């Protein structure tokens, strides 16, 4: 991406600071919803399927099972509607976009948690 | 119409106060130098010639170097005439501050060249019939281009295959979302013709 575009994005769009996460992680997204004049926060917890784009146009997809139905939300990373993102679990997956996860149901739809070893 | 010469930088999105993302194109516009003022008496019409973009003197013909010397400026890459400017003299500088936010402009550029293309891509034809059931090599063909012994010719302007893109395209009525005067940048809503780095004309 050109440097000028980066500068413009930094100047015009606030940058959201979130903990690092990638595909396979389980996250809880706290996002603000406007209902008339009232604003409230809703939670969306699920597995991150992918992150794509860069800068102001970066988005990530979160998938969760609502009963028997899979629900996916594409969320712009720098959206001012996001209050915070919690990383609940870091998954051990081998690719950056885990589309195969959509076909999984039940026991096979589990992602192994990444083991983090303490560094000396 | 008064305007300015710019360079397409690329696209991004900006968020409005309500949090809505709007796609926009970033254009580096100006500062442009007035290299010639055409008058009614001398040239038969009124216009102002603006110059933009740096170019090495080595790659500029001597005649043009003299032209730029008259305006006391360095050699420029792109020269465009505009009308509608008032009270501009040789050597004056026109910058992005002639534009205001939330007004509408036309952006003129050279579209990306697509080479020699068939009618499906060039004019949006649907092609002929089916791809299976014995259909043979006519899938993307134009179909009939006219009747038989009367008129016994193909009408002018019949849409056919040919060079696509690489033509002057005007994208009218684009909203100006932001003008960054200190950086000489202008952000317009939506897309504009041409590749990144190509010269465009922004008209009021």
């Amino acid at each position: 991406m050109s440097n000028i575009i980066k500068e413009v994005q930094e100047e015009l769009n606030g940058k959201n600071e979130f903990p690092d996460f990638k595909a396979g992680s389980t996250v809880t997204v706290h996002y603000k919803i406007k209902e008339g004049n009232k604003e409230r926060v809703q939670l969306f917890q699920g597995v991150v399927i992918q992150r794509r784009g860069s800068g102001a146009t970066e988005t990530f997809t979160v998938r969760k099972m609502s009963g028997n139905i899979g629900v996916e939300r594409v969320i712009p990373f720098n959206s001012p509607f996001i209050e915070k993102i919690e990383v609940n679990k870091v998954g051990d997956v081998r690719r950056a976009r885990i589309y195969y996860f959509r076909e999984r149901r039940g026991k096979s739809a589990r992602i192994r948690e990444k083991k983090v070893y303490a560094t000396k | 119409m008064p305007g300015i010469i710019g360079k397409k930088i690329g696209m991004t999105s900006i968020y409005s106060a309500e949090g809505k993302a709007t796609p926009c194109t970033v254009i580096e516009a100006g500062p442009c130098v007035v290299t010639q003022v055409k008058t009614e008496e001398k040239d038969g019409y009124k216009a102002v010639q603006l110059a933009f973009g740096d170019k090495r003197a080595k790659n500029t013909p001597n005649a043009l170097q003299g032209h730029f010397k008259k305006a006391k400026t360095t050699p420029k890459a792109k020269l465009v005439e505009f009308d509608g400017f008032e009270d501009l003299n040789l050597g004056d500088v026109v910058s992005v501050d002639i534009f205001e936010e939330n007004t509408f402009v036309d952006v003129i550029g050279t579209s990306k060249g697509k080479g020699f293309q068939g009618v499906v891509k060039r004019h949006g034809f649907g092609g002929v019939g089916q791809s299976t059931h014995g259909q043979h090599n006519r899938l993307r063909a134009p179909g009939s281009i006219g009747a038989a012994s009367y008129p016994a010719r193909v009408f002018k302007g019949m849409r056919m295959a040919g060079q696509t893109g690489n033509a002057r395209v005007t994208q009218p009525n684009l909203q100006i979302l932001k003008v960054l005067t200190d950086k000489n940048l202008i952000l317009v809503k939506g897309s504009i013709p041409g590749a990144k780095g190509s010269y465009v004309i922004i008209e009021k």
Side-chain angles (χ1 to χ4, degrees):
Chain A
M1 204 190 318
S2 109
N3 288 333
I4 298 176
I5 288 194
K6 270 186 194 161
E7 279 176 31
V8 169
Q9 285 173 355
E10 273 167 30
E11 194 173 315
L12 299 179
N13 298 328
K15 216 180 167 194
N16 283 343
E17 295 288 338
F18 295 130
D20 193 39
F21 61 88
K22 56 184 181 182
S25 300
T26 305
V27 295
T28 310
V29 182
H30 298 240
Y31 63 90
K32 292 175 226 160
I33 285 187
K34 256 195 189 142
E35 283 172 342
N37 293 328
K38 267 199 282 184
E39 208 180 60
R40 62 190 188 85
V41 174
Q42 208 172 64
L43 307 183
F44 192 88
Q45 188 181 39
V47 177
V48 178
I49 299 283
Q50 63 167 339
R51 281 177 73 158
R52 65 183 298 267
S54 61
T57 53
E58 180 173 0
T59 61
F60 59 95
T61 307
V62 183
R63 179 184 174 85
K64 79 166 180 185
M65 295 303 288
S66 177
N68 245 342
I69 299 158
V71 179
E72 279 183 27
R73 270 190 80 121
V74 181
I75 301 166
F77 197 82
N78 282 310
S79 166
F81 287 124
I82 310 181
E83 197 174 71
K84 69 174 175 182
I85 298 175
E86 275 173 51
V87 181
N88 307 113
K89 262 191 236 169
V90 180
D92 192 1
V93 291
R94 294 188 185 183
R95 47 216 73 225
R97 295 175 184 197
I98 50 168
Y99 296 144
Y100 66 84
F101 190 68
R102 289 174 177 156
E103 272 84 61
R104 301 287 179 88
R105 294 284 184 279
K107 259 189 180 179
S108 63
R110 284 177 303 181
I111 292 174
R112 201 169 51 235
E113 204 164 340
K114 195 160 199 163
K115 282 172 185 154
V116 184
Y117 299 102
T119 46
K120 281 176 193 169
Chain B
M1 262 180 271
I4 202 167
I5 313 167
K7 197 177 178 184
K8 179 171 171 178
I9 301 293
M11 291 191 71
T12 182
S13 319
I14 60 172
Y15 290 97
S16 66
E18 302 92 59
K20 233 183 146 189
T22 314
C24 64
T25 309
V26 183
I27 307 167
E28 188 182 355
C32 297
V33 185
V34 178
T35 45
Q36 195 178 2
V37 180
K38 300 208 166 178
T39 56
E40 200 82 53
E41 302 87 60
K42 205 175 165 200
D43 307 283
Y45 66 100
K46 267 178 82 177
V48 163
Q49 187 190 63
L50 298 184
F52 174 70
D54 284 322
K55 189 179 175 187
R56 284 159 76 179
K58 196 183 85 174
N59 301 328
T60 313
N62 281 333
L64 261 181
Q65 281 193 35
H67 184 68
F68 290 120
K69 219 172 169 184
K70 257 194 207 167
K72 294 190 178 59
T73 177
T74 52
K76 301 285 183 205
K78 183 86 178 164
L79 297 169
V80 179
E81 259 181 36
F82 292 93
D83 58 2
F85 275 118
E86 301 289 332
D87 310 324
L88 276 181
N89 298 315
L90 203 63
D92 284 357
V93 174
V94 180
S95 55
V96 275
D97 48 28
I98 61 167
F99 296 110
E100 278 168 43
E101 276 167 29
N102 294 321
T103 55
F104 290 83
V105 290
D106 296 350
V107 177
I108 302 160
T110 306
S111 59
K112 280 184 182 175
K114 308 248 184 296
F116 191 101
Q117 295 295 336
V119 288
V120 173
K121 192 183 189 80
R122 192 173 185 222
H123 300 295
F125 284 17
V128 172
Q130 291 172 302
S131 59
T132 56
H133 290 300
Q135 169 72 281
H136 178 57
N137 71 18
R138 297 207 27 92
L139 188 57
R140 294 172 71 90
S144 166
I145 54 168
S149 49
Y150 183 81
R153 63 191 175 92
V154 174
F155 289 124
K156 273 187 176 178
M158 182 63 61
R159 292 174 296 167
M160 291 189 187
Q163 164 68 33
T164 306
N166 194 19
R168 183 185 156 108
V169 174
T170 305
Q171 187 71 57
N173 296 328
L174 295 175
Q175 189 186 359
I176 299 182
L177 296 176
K178 270 279 173 332
V179 177
L180 304 171
T181 320
D182 51 333
K183 288 196 179 104
N184 290 315
L185 294 177
I186 184 167
L187 272 71
V188 295
K189 188 174 171 183
S191 58
I192 65 169
K196 285 177 205 170
S198 62
Y199 288 107
V200 293
I201 301 166
I202 310 162
E203 273 184 351
K204 260 187 202 176

